[in-house]
């Protein structure tokens, strides 16, 4: 009777080890898939070259829907490949006064398109 009990307990123990090993492998695989998905999601977003740190209420930027902490990916013809300094953006703004510009930003991990028309307003500059 003791021998039968020991043999049965050994089988139960081996089955438990296998069960936990499979569960551990499944958990590791799920984590790896989640990490890969997160990385691919990040890679699918284009690289930003500037970040909005202020938007004046009532300004053309505010009216267009631009928000603080938006990361600029494209500003008219300026993108990460041809951006050198903020003067590039100033030039595009000056040449586009009164005409809509296509601005693409990353907001909360999502790509968002904003139509921005630089124009004179009560405040400083053409954007605010």
């Amino acid at each position: 009777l003791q021998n039968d009990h020991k043999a049965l307990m050994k089988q139960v123990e081996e089955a438990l080890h296998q069960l936990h090993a499979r569960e551990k492998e499944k958990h590791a695989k799920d984590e790896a898939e989640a990490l890969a998905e997160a990385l691919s999601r990040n890679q699918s977003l284009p690289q930003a070259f500037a970040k909005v740190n202020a938007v004046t209420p009532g300004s053309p930027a505010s009216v267009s829907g631009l928000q603080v902490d938006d990361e600029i990916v494209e500003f008219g013809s300026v993108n990460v490949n041809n951006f050198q300094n903020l003067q590039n953006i100033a030039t595009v703004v000056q040449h586009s006064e009164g005409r809509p510009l296509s601005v693409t930003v990353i907001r909360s991990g999502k790509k968002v398109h904003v139509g921005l028309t630089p124009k004179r307003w009560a405040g400083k500059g053409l954007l605010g």
Side-chain angles (χ1 to χ4, degrees):
L1 205 54
Q2 283 290 351
N3 289 340
D4 289 345
H5 183 261
K6 282 183 185 178
L8 188 57
M9 291 307 290
K10 186 169 178 73
Q11 286 177 344
V12 169
E13 182 181 354
E14 287 173 2
L16 281 172
H17 283 294
Q18 289 174 356
L19 177 69
H20 288 292
R22 278 196 305 256
E23 194 63 34
K24 188 175 181 181
E25 286 174 11
K26 183 179 180 286
H27 183 67
K29 182 180 172 189
D30 289 348
E31 280 185 351
E33 286 176 1
L35 181 62
E37 184 180 334
L39 287 175
S40 70
R41 209 177 295 138
N42 286 343
Q43 288 175 351
S44 68
L45 289 176
Q47 185 177 356
F49 61 84
K51 187 174 185 177
V52 177
N53 60 9
V55 177
T56 307
S59 68
S62 175
V63 170
S64 73
L66 209 57
Q67 297 177 4
V68 173
D69 290 333
D70 281 351
E71 296 179 350
I72 300 173
V73 175
E74 289 180 3
F75 193 96
S77 60
V78 180
N79 59 39
V80 71
N81 297 322
N82 62 11
F83 175 77
Q84 294 165 353
N85 56 38
L86 289 177
Q87 186 61 42
N88 300 125
I89 292 177
T91 302
V92 170
V93 168
Q94 288 171 351
H95 290 279
S96 301
E97 184 176 349
R99 287 181 286 171
L101 277 173
S102 175
V103 179
T104 305
V105 299
I106 297 173
R107 180 182 300 155
S108 303
K110 294 181 181 168
K111 194 171 168 182
V112 178
H113 295 284
V114 177
L116 174 60
T117 304
K119 59 186 174 188
R120 303 219 179 267
W121 63 292
K124 185 178 174 186
L126 297 175
L127 294 179

